[in-house]
Amino acid sequence: MHEGCLAHMTMAVRAMNTCSIFRSASSPPFASLGCRLHRFPALHCRRHPQLGFRISVFRSSQNHKPFGRAVIRSYHVQSLVDTVTEQLEALRKRHRIRATSKMGVASSGELLEDKLEKRALREGLLLEFKKDSERLLLAVARRRDGKKNWMVSDQYGGTTSIKPQQVTFIVPGAENFDHTDISDFLQKAQNNLDPSLLECAWIELHEKNKTVTVEELAEIIFGSAEPLESYCAHLLLSKDEVYFTVLEGKSSFCVYGPRPAMQVEELLHKKLAKEAAEKEFQDFLQLLKSAKTRPSHEKPPKSSWENEEKIQHKIKSLEAYAIDACETDDQKKTAGMILKAMGLGKTSASALKLLIDIGYFPVHVNLDLLKLNIRTDHSGEIISAAERILSEASDPDELDRIDLTHLKVYAIDVDEADELDDALSATRLMDGRIKVWIHVADPASLVQPGSIVDREAMKRGTSVFLPTATYPMFPEKLAMEGMSMKQGELCKAVTVSVVLHTDGSSFGICSIAEYEVDNTIIKPTYMLTYESASELLYMNLEEEVELKILSQAAALRFRWRQTQGAIDTSTFESRIKVLNPDDPDPSITLYVEDQADPAMRLVSEMMILCGEAIATYGSFHNIPLPFRGQPQSNIDVSAFSHLPEGPVRSAAIVKIMRAAEMDFRNPIRHGILGIPGYVQFTSPIRRYMDLLAHYQVKAFLRGDSPPYSAGQLEGMACLVNMNVRLVKKLYNSSLRYWILEYLRQQPIEATFRGLILRFIKDRMAAILLVEVGMQASAEVSVGLHIGDVVKVQVEEAHPRDDFLSLKEVDEWA
């Protein structure tokens, strides 16, 4: 240690009138002592045996105690003075302090270039060089390699050709160095690095306004400028971010100057903040590593990662990175740092895997549900408003409702349907014509246009039906208890009754002869699934003649629509129910629905009939409605006559169908359905556009003006349809994911029938997996044709990557 530093320290200690030294949080970055004792972690004599030097640092006689914002440490003053004096004397005896006499410390007025000793690379010199952007190595110069480059032997025994600009430091005095000694040299240097030494040197040099070279700094803090000490000084300076800055120099020949006190204080503050942030980051990494190693049943719950703000910020950054939804550069940077520190690639897939491994996400997390920001829960405010509606409910149409409780009413839907919003009745009139009633749930009798519950439903646009869950458009209690139809109970409805032409008149077989729209009261007789309804139809029971009449009406309507240009697009469709989606191996139930099934055909035909009747009603009474149509001008059905009827022909036609169109003033022809106009009306609990049609029609029934003009409907439809498209995208991706997971779980020997829909290229065919209801592709044998059935097995199925590989197998194998 520099003699002036020790002398200054001794005088400062003797001048103290207490035996305590403390530093407040607001104190300057250095104490009144020549060296900043409070910065040393413990007070003891620290030896540097390799350097032949001992720094005196004194241990406190008491534990550190907090005192306000200050930290108080007690020292034995006389012991401090005696030890400093003894140390100074010992250093003098060993002739180790010679910084001022041998080297000198130049004042700021000296020419800086005088402090740079010009050295040239030559054989045997020990040097530090930049191997790449992240690594510095020590090496010994061997020989020239061309005009400028040098061959060097590094610390690992490798021989490399380096350019002069790669050299970052030439160790002074290390002549004819043996490269086999580099490792030992490095170990000694690392053992004797103490960043606290720079503070003492900074205090002295700052007070005297002096600059310093690496060798001069080695003399000041180690009492020697031998190669080892000089290299240690270089390492301290190269890693220093607080006390010194480079004033002048090239490559390894630099002059350093002490930074101003205010700047040091600021840098110290930043350094402490950085160290705290790094510790916080390392603690978070440890949490991740610990969670990864735990078995699945012991992993911390998702909520535990969101309790503390600092942890929540990091985990939310990872979540945003996993779903490609980083909103700020900070989120992206934070996630990237975490992934790199965990040894993972900076990809969304890596982030997702990490979140699954720690238990934050289940294995089968629905990423699209997160990416598309689909609403799943209702706020407390909406739920409270819905409960008030139920408790204060009154029927504004009570006096006008027609009692239809004498009718037998069939409600037919999928077996897991939560919201039942349509039902059917039928009879045959005395003249042989068929009269049907399509009863539709009446949520508009409870929810008023523009109310808080209505606005929330509009934002959602539709209920969300996924294999794993249902997220209703209305709060569940309101939808289930107030709006949905229930078997055997009195239910409010809007009923569309239609009498069909069946006598071959000029109006056409099975076209609409008469229609009415009324507010009604019904009492559903049966709640049937499609499967049970089909069974009843096949049984042909006399007591269920009304169901048979409905089926006959549906068949007649279908044939009539075909004469009007309707196109049959029925095919096989999948429906999946997942009971425990958070389990790594969930239970999956797969249903395949044939849309040509009698019960499904019955329901779909009655829904189309209702839509046509409402469009006619709205047109006749000049009611603005969301009229829906679909052009057919680009479809020549005869061009597909060579294809087998059913899924093959339907798939070919669907590929060239044009998108649906909407008008809000007049009906537009729906060419695909073969009807002059169409309004979706039968699902007002599930679809907001249906609810809008109800608002308009019910206002007319009451004798009021419609709540919305055609222009207002158009604006609302724009928002609603945008959300509906997102939900449809979510449904399709979720359904496909779980079908692939279902296939992944099947035994390797399982086989499936594949109906060839078309050929993509050569022998690669698009096929419909009949037992699964999903389209895929597979290479098939030569000689097969469109409409043929092949037998296939699953080679690979990766739902997260949306990948499915099928292979054809020998039917007789």
Side-chain angles (χ1 to χ4, degrees), residues 32 129 238 263 284 380 448 595 735 809:
S32 59
F129 73 96
S238 63
Q263 188 178 13
F284 178 74
Q448 299 303 309
Q595 293 178 321
L735 181 64
V809 295

Side-chain angles (χ1 to χ4, degrees), residues 195-241:
S196 302
L197 298 174
L198 285 178
E199 189 173 4
C200 285
W202 175 81
I203 293 172
E204 174 136 347
L205 294 169
H206 177 266
E207 289 178 349
K208 296 182 179 180
N209 192 25
K210 299 289 186 180
T211 58
V212 69
T213 64
V214 169
E215 291 160 281
E216 290 170 343
L217 183 66
E219 285 282 355
I220 292 172
I221 61 178
F222 297 127
S224 170
E226 294 299 316
L228 181 59
E229 287 84 345
S230 294
Y231 186 60
C232 287
H234 160 70
L235 291 178
L236 289 172
L237 286 170
S238 63
K239 296 176 182 179
D240 175 47
E241 298 177 349

Side-chain angles (χ1 to χ4, degrees), residues 90-332:
L91 291 176
R92 283 172 175 164
K93 287 181 180 180
R94 294 202 304 270
H95 306 288
R96 302 305 300 264
I97 301 180
R98 52 185 181 272
T100 56
S101 60
K102 181 177 179 181
M103 296 292 295
V105 179
S107 69
S108 59
E110 289 186 62
L111 295 175
L112 294 177
E113 55 265 25
D114 293 341
K115 302 182 73 175
L116 302 177
E117 180 182 347
K118 302 286 186 180
R119 298 190 188 93
L121 273 175
R122 60 182 181 274
E123 184 179 347
L125 285 183
L126 180 63
L127 56 89
E128 181 187 75
F129 73 96
K130 184 177 289 188
K131 178 71 172 178
D132 50 45
S133 60
E134 296 183 354
R135 286 191 301 167
L136 292 172
L137 300 181
L138 275 182
V140 175
R142 287 301 189 192
R143 63 183 183 277
R144 286 189 178 277
D145 182 26
K147 291 185 177 180
K148 296 183 178 180
N149 294 354
W150 274 82
M151 297 298 296
V152 298
S153 296
D154 62 38
Q155 62 201 66
Y156 300 111
T159 301
T160 310
S161 176
I162 65 171
K163 299 176 182 179
Q165 53 266 39
Q166 288 179 255
V167 177
T168 55
F169 186 69
I170 297 176
V171 180
E175 306 283 345
N176 300 316
F177 201 90
D178 188 341
H179 78 276
T180 60
D181 293 333
I182 294 178
S183 295
D184 183 57
F185 181 88
L186 271 174
Q187 187 61 53
K188 289 179 179 179
Q190 292 297 327
N191 290 342
N192 290 283
L193 292 182
D194 187 349
S196 302
L197 298 174
L198 285 178
E199 189 173 4
C200 285
W202 175 81
I203 293 172
E204 174 136 347
L205 294 169
H206 177 266
E207 289 178 349
K208 296 182 179 180
N209 192 25
K210 299 289 186 180
T211 58
V212 69
T213 64
V214 169
E215 291 160 281
E216 290 170 343
L217 183 66
E219 285 282 355
I220 292 172
I221 61 178
F222 297 127
S224 170
E226 294 299 316
L228 181 59
E229 287 84 345
S230 294
Y231 186 60
C232 287
H234 160 70
L235 291 178
L236 289 172
L237 286 170
S238 63
K239 296 176 182 179
D240 175 47
E241 298 177 349
V242 177
Y243 298 105
F244 292 90
T245 184
V246 176
L247 297 178
E248 187 172 323
K250 291 183 178 180
S251 183
S252 62
F253 312 112
C254 298
V255 173
Y256 296 85
R259 297 180 187 271
M262 290 296 292
Q263 188 178 13
V264 168
E265 181 73 10
E266 181 182 350
L267 291 173
L268 276 174
H269 178 75
K270 290 181 178 179
K271 183 180 179 183
L272 291 174
K274 183 179 179 182
E275 290 172 352
E278 179 60 25
K279 183 181 184 304
E280 178 188 302
F281 185 74
Q282 292 301 323
D283 290 344
F284 178 74
L285 294 180
Q286 191 57 44
L287 285 175
L288 295 179
K289 293 173 183 177
S290 174
K292 280 186 67 175
T293 59
R294 296 184 188 182
S296 57
H297 65 280
E298 293 182 6
K299 293 186 185 295
K302 183 177 181 178
S303 58
S304 67
W305 297 96
E306 299 173 343
N307 290 334
E308 190 175 333
E309 184 177 348
K310 294 178 180 178
I311 293 178
Q312 184 186 42
H313 169 70
K314 294 179 179 62
I315 208 77
K316 288 297 182 183
S317 296
L318 274 176
E319 181 179 339
Y321 202 88
I323 62 175
D324 298 317
C326 288
E327 296 178 354
T328 64
D329 289 340
D330 177 62
Q331 275 191 327
K332 188 178 296 184

Side-chain angles (χ1 to χ4, degrees), residues 592-613:
V592 179
E593 299 172 342
D594 181 357
Q595 293 178 321
D597 175 82
M600 296 203 75
R601 179 81 76 186
L602 184 159
V603 173
S604 64
E605 285 299 328
M606 293 302 104
M607 299 305 105
I608 293 170
L609 176 61
C610 180
E612 181 186 353

Side-chain angles (χ1 to χ4, degrees), residues 24 48 74 236 255 329 457 476 593 698:
S24 164
H48 293 263
S74 300
L236 289 172
V255 173
D329 289 340
E476 184 174 357
E593 299 172 342
K698 285 180 66 66

Side-chain angles (χ1 to χ4, degrees), residues 464-752:
V464 181
F465 299 97
L466 301 179
T468 54
T470 297
Y471 306 108
M473 183 172 74
F474 289 109
E476 184 174 357
K477 188 174 182 181
L478 177 61
M480 293 294 297
E481 295 184 15
M483 299 175 175
S484 183
M485 295 181 178
K486 298 178 181 63
Q487 182 174 334
E489 296 185 17
L490 296 178
C491 302
K492 293 177 289 187
V494 178
T495 297
V496 179
S497 58
V498 179
V499 176
L500 299 173
H501 279 295
T502 57
D503 58 356
S505 69
S506 59
F507 292 98
I509 296 175
C510 229
S511 61
I512 296 175
E514 303 171 16
Y515 64 89
E516 291 183 19
V517 180
D518 299 290
N519 292 305
T520 62
I521 288 287
I522 64 169
K523 190 175 183 179
T525 312
Y526 296 114
M527 296 293 188
L528 302 174
T529 64
Y530 288 114
E531 292 80 3
S532 59
S534 292
E535 289 177 7
L536 283 176
L537 288 170
Y538 285 129
M539 292 170 68
N540 196 23
L541 300 175
E542 285 296 327
E543 57 268 30
E544 302 301 336
V545 64
E546 294 87 354
L547 186 62
K548 184 177 181 181
I549 294 173
L550 281 169
S551 181
Q552 290 173 347
L556 290 170
R557 279 285 296 179
F558 176 64
R559 286 197 293 269
W560 175 79
R561 287 195 302 107
Q562 286 185 309
T563 66
Q564 304 301 304
I567 299 173
D568 183 14
T569 57
S570 59
T571 184
F572 295 98
E573 283 197 353
S574 305
R575 186 163 48 84
I576 277 186
K577 190 71 174 176
V578 184
L579 297 179
N580 47 346
D582 288 345
D583 287 359
D585 293 307
S587 175
I588 303 172
T589 304
L590 174 68
Y591 308 87
V592 179
E593 299 172 342
D594 181 357
Q595 293 178 321
D597 175 82
M600 296 203 75
R601 179 81 76 186
L602 184 159
V603 173
S604 64
E605 285 299 328
M606 293 302 104
M607 299 305 105
I608 293 170
L609 176 61
C610 180
E612 181 186 353
I614 290 294
T616 305
Y617 186 82
S619 175
F620 183 80
H621 295 291
N622 198 28
I623 306 172
L625 290 172
F627 299 102
R628 185 178 294 269
Q630 193 165 24
Q632 189 186 356
S633 58
N634 64 329
I635 299 178
D636 179 8
V637 179
S638 63
F640 301 94
S641 59
H642 66 287
L643 297 175
E645 289 188 20
V648 174
R649 187 179 296 181
S650 295
I653 294 174
V654 167
K655 283 185 65 67
I656 63 170
M657 282 170 50
R658 291 166 62 180
E661 298 177 354
M662 296 193 74
D663 193 291
F664 302 91
R665 293 171 178 82
N666 301 294
I668 51 178
R669 178 169 177 76
H670 202 301
I672 303 301
L673 297 180
I675 54 180
Y678 181 66
V679 173
Q680 287 184 326
F681 194 78
T682 57
S683 296
I685 305 177
R686 310 179 188 186
R687 295 188 305 230
Y688 190 77
M689 292 305 297
D690 295 45
L691 181 63
L692 279 179
H694 274 243
Y695 285 151
Q696 301 292 91
V697 169
K698 285 180 66 66
F700 179 81
L701 290 175
R702 289 193 299 267
D704 297 334
S705 298
Y708 300 111
S709 66
Q712 289 173 317
L713 287 178
E714 186 172 3
M716 297 166 76
C718 182
L719 172 63
V720 171
N721 288 334
M722 180 175 65
N723 291 333
V724 169
R725 284 192 292 270
L726 290 179
V727 171
K728 186 175 181 181
K729 179 180 179 181
L730 171 65
Y731 172 78
N732 289 335
S733 66
S734 301
L735 181 64
R736 182 172 175 83
Y737 177 94
W738 285 108
I739 291 176
L740 292 178
E741 176 61 20
Y742 172 84
L743 292 173
R744 188 191 69 81
Q745 292 183 9
Q746 298 309 299
I748 192 170
E749 67 275 7
T751 60
F752 304 90

Side-chain angles (χ1 to χ4, degrees), residues 760-811:
I760 302 171
K761 185 179 180 181
D762 299 330
R763 292 165 53 198
M764 185 61 65
I767 63 174
L768 174 66
L769 297 176
V770 178
E771 293 92 349
V772 180
M774 183 185 77
Q775 290 190 28
S777 59
E779 191 171 339
V780 298
S781 302
V782 176
L784 291 174
H785 302 89
I786 293 175
D788 289 343
V789 176
V790 295
K791 193 176 182 181
V792 297
Q793 283 183 335
V794 176
E795 285 189 309
E796 291 183 77
H798 303 292
R800 185 64 67 194
D801 300 323
D802 191 22
F803 178 78
L804 176 65
S805 176
L806 301 172
K807 67 175 180 180
E808 183 186 3
V809 295
D810 187 350
E811 187 175 356

